[in-house]
Amino acid sequence: MTKLDTQLKETLQSKAREIRVDIVKMLTKAQSGHPGGSLGMTDVFVSLYFGGLVKHDAKRPDWAERDRVVLSNGHICPVLYACLGHAGYFPKEWFDGLRMVNSHLQGHPAMHKTPGVEACTGSLGHGFAMAVGMALAMRADKRDSHVFALLGDGECQEGLIWEAAMSAAHYKLDNLTAIVDRNDAQIDGRTSDVMSLEPFADKWKGFGWHVIEIDGHDYDAIFAAVNEAKVTRGKPGVIIARTVMGKGVSYMEAEGYKWHGKAPSAEQGEKALKELLAST
Amino acid sequence: MAVSAEKRATREGYGAALKELATKNPNVVALSADLAESTGVLKLAAVAPERFFQMGIAEANMVDVAAGMATCGKIPFASTFAIFGTGRAWESFRNSVCYPALNVKLACTHSGLSVGEDGASHQALEDIAVMRAIPNVTVVVPADYAAAHAATIAVAEQRGPVYLRLGRPKIPAVYEDGKAPMTLGKGNVLREGNDVAILACGPLVSMAVDAAKLLEKDGRQATVIDMHTIKPLDEKLLLDVARRCRCVVTAEEHNIVGGLGGAVSEALSQHLPTPLERVGTRDTFGESGTHADLWKKYGLTPDAIAAAARKAMERK
Ligand SMILES: Cc1ncc(C[n+]2csc(CCOP(=O)(O)OP(=O)(O)O)c2C)c(N)n1
């Protein structure tokens, strides 16, 4: 695997810290929402939005040639909002209104309310199927744009996910890459206890997908996987990214799934910010 | 004993009753789709773990599995949020459960705007409409903790498909614990008056009682009915009060299209055309916010009910 340039890696790491800080601030202010997955997927999101893996332009959110990022596990939208705010899609002041009445930033992504959001998600399963539709439409129009669909592992228990997976392989959608947040956590417990998905990679292979398994906090691996998925011809690619729920905040990492959908208290928020700011 | 001053959620009443049922009736089983705690079914799992089935995030499968269990004599309570249970799994419920009238109870929590911060994607405001349009089903929307408890016991005793609609927030009590009248299909008259009849369900019942107090200050007397069963609708009671008050208001945490307001308009326009005002969301999606902020913004308050009553009275 080719290693990333040290300077780029440092830039990404520092951006990831800023994003995590804003996630914690947003959720502590909102006093509801989903920190675990948001923090867990931060390294992947930072690579996509700030590492040049996604073709996008914050000044033209409706640019027809842009790549599409569809957050099918919509509940982790704080990480998406933080990235979009940092990228310049909207003022960072919007973070303060997360989940409050009359806000631009809804509890789950709404494409008609927030620039840069590509689909209305939150009800699990739909985003992935919409991503298939986008990939089909862009191929029909011969556009050189790629579709990234972000999924949760618990979300993959939905039948709809496998209907979408089947159709993507049937149509040989090599302009579609799924990235699954494989943190073995969902609301009621560990995914392996609630409803086992294993053999997970084999399921995707059986559905005709090119499968890449990585550590979702390793920037070298994230870049290599995305590039491999993009150049693979004739089939869609899925990156199974093993992540740690609540990554970067020790007490969340320790309690795993309990931080799926619970906001930190003011005191816990302080503690999290201290840890994040002290990290390098 | 007076009505409890403590606010509790209808989903809590459901969980408590389910726990009691677990020890009383060995055929009662519960299923959930990765929402066991917030729907309350974990209460059953605590006392009868072998009768709780975790189905993962797969609502359509959960409802069909429940149908299969019902064909083998079980009394399944399948629980998730209202949007997923009545949305994603609607057709499973219609074809597998309601068509042959199987004994499945689809008990969904987090209905309406009061889901709150999760926002529009999670706020079912159409569920009463799509569920009550299915033949063979009973649709129940309890007004408080005690009513939800009573409704859970009542639907377990009645054979056949049920949609039980429950809520997330803690709301004021209407009834004393253990004393909520719950004859399915029979509305509860909470207050009598001859100027206007207010029919409400769910969290709007206690607001309707408060609205009646506001109207009293204007010298107007309202009849207030807890119409906990939307289907079959208590048409006899509806027509009685419509005849007496000559104007009607409905109040629900649901779109004014197709829910209690829809059911009441259908019955009145056929049997006794009467001025009707419907309080509910006005054919719009919700949004994120605290439930209190949302109820205020979308006009689900005692004031809004009283205003609708004044308008209805003017139209007599
Ligand atoms: C169709 C549907 N069913 C249920 C839910 C409620 N829900 C929200 S997130 C979640 C768990 C998701 O687990 P996972 O995809 O693993 O996300 P993570 O916990 O890792 O953030 C559930 C059940 C939902 N949003 N949509």
Side-chain angles (χ1 to χ4, degrees), chain B residues 24-184:
Chain B
K24 277 193 210 133
N25 188 335
N27 284 325
V28 168
V29 297
L31 302 88
S32 186
D34 196 27
L35 288 165
E37 186 174 351
S38 45
T39 55
V41 303
L42 214 54
K43 293 273 187 316
L44 174 141
V47 291
E50 72 292 350
R51 278 189 278 139
F52 166 64
F53 298 89
Q54 171 62 266
M55 302 310 296
I57 312 171
E59 296 80 9
N61 181 52
M62 171 174 74
V63 172
D64 281 307
V65 167
M69 289 175 156
T71 66
C72 303
K74 299 293 174 205
I75 308 174
F77 280 77
S79 285
T80 176
F81 290 179
I83 191 73
F84 312 126
T86 69
R88 183 123 351 153
W90 183 83
E91 197 249 351
S92 301
F93 192 66
R94 180 209 186 253
N95 278 330
S96 306
V97 174
C98 294
Y99 180 28
L102 293 179
N103 202 14
V104 172
K105 320 301 170 186
L106 184 59
C108 293
T109 63
H110 296 66
S111 58
L113 285 175
S114 57
V115 170
E117 295 82 352
D118 275 348
S121 60
H122 284 53
Q123 294 163 346
L125 293 167
E126 314 81 4
D127 54 318
I128 298 177
V130 298
M131 298 312 273
R132 83 176 180 86
I134 306 175
N136 290 339
V137 75
T138 297
V139 177
V140 186
V141 187
D144 70 356
Y145 175 94
H149 186 287
T152 306
I153 306 288
V155 302
E157 280 164 7
Q158 175 186 284
R159 231 189 135 68
V162 170
Y163 174 51
L164 181 59
R165 185 192 209 231
L166 303 156
R168 172 185 185 229
K170 294 187 184 294
I171 55 174
V174 175
Y175 302 104
E176 275 180 44
D177 278 12
K179 299 238 173 98
M182 190 50 72
T183 306
L184 298 176

Side-chain angles (χ1 to χ4, degrees), chain A residues 34-38 41 72-76 108 121-126 151-158 160 180-189 191 197 243 245 257 259-261, chain B residues 33-35 56-59 80-81 83-85 88 118 121-122:
Chain A
H34 302 80
S38 303
M41 283 298 279
S72 197
N73 49 343
H75 59 279
I76 71 164
H108 290 84
T121 56
S123 176
L124 298 167
H126 295 300
L151 320 182
D153 54 358
E155 182 183 16
C156 292
Q157 293 158 353
E158 281 289 353
L160 184 45
V180 184
D181 178 13
R182 187 73 172 117
N183 56 12
D184 193 31
Q186 58 188 110
I187 294 181
D188 282 345
T191 299
L197 291 162
T243 66
M245 190 161 255
Y257 73 86
W259 287 95
H260 157 89
Chain B
D34 196 27
L35 288 165
I57 312 171
E59 296 80 9
T80 176
F81 290 179
I83 191 73
F84 312 126
R88 183 123 351 153
D118 275 348
S121 60
H122 284 53

Side-chain angles (χ1 to χ4, degrees), chain B residues 175-197:
Chain B
Y175 302 104
E176 275 180 44
D177 278 12
K179 299 238 173 98
M182 190 50 72
T183 306
L184 298 176
K186 291 267 169 282
N188 298 337
V189 180
L190 301 179
R191 185 185 174 113
E192 304 241 31
N194 291 330
D195 294 323
V196 58

